Amino acid sequence: MPVRSAGVLAFRTTSDTVEVLLVHPGGPFWRHKDLGAWSIPKGEYDASEPAEIAARREFAEELGVPLTAPLLPLGEIKQRGGKIVIAFAAEIDLDATAIRSNSFEIEWPPRSGHMQSFPEIDRAAWFSLAEASKHINPSQAVLLDRLAEICRKADES
């Protein structure tokens, strides 16, 4: 059975432009990676937890901000490694420079016997949809298209 994750694509509208909040993974492996390395805040969950609850929990853990805004379903995607991601959109505005992520420990450098702690998310930033499409994990790019369609339909009504 594939691993399942749930996450939130936060968005805001400024000067008639839709911006999305993406997060950059922390730790030494991701330190010098940029284009294609950013993601929506997300995390794994099991069948006993509803995806919406897991998405809210992961948002709070990775950004240090509770998410109370209504969630709009964006459907699911399958990432390159086989992980299934259930995604939601939420209209919210927050200071991306003030995030407080949870952390994880790994042996670093490898085989050194020395454990180090790293933030799960080392930074977050707001991007226009066009800029986000360059930075986001390619398998998550379809979520940007789905959000753009939701925003377009909302503008028409």
Side-chain angles (χ1 to χ4, degrees), residues 10-108:
F11 71 98
R12 66 183 182 187
T13 304
T14 60
S15 305
D16 298 327
T17 300
V18 175
E19 294 181 331
V20 294
L21 184 74
L22 299 179
V23 297
H24 186 270
F29 177 76
W30 297 100
R31 183 172 291 138
H32 300 295
K33 296 181 182 351
D34 187 47
L35 299 180
W38 294 70
S39 175
I40 66 170
K42 63 177 180 37
E44 295 178 10
Y45 71 104
D46 62 34
S48 68
E49 182 179 30
E52 182 176 321
I53 300 299
R56 289 181 186 279
R57 173 180 43 77
E58 289 297 326
F59 191 92
E61 286 179 4
E62 293 187 357
L63 298 171
V65 177
L67 180 62
T68 58
L71 297 181
L72 306 168
L74 291 177
E76 74 177 43
I77 60 164
K78 186 174 185 178
Q79 294 194 160
R80 201 172 96 194
K83 181 184 286 187
I84 303 294
V85 178
I86 307 297
F88 301 90
E91 189 167 8
I92 182 174
D93 194 4
L94 58 84
D95 180 357
T97 64
I99 67 162
R100 294 178 325 276
S101 178
N102 55 346
S103 60
F104 66 96
E105 277 197 350
I106 60 169
E107 183 180 16
W108 192 258

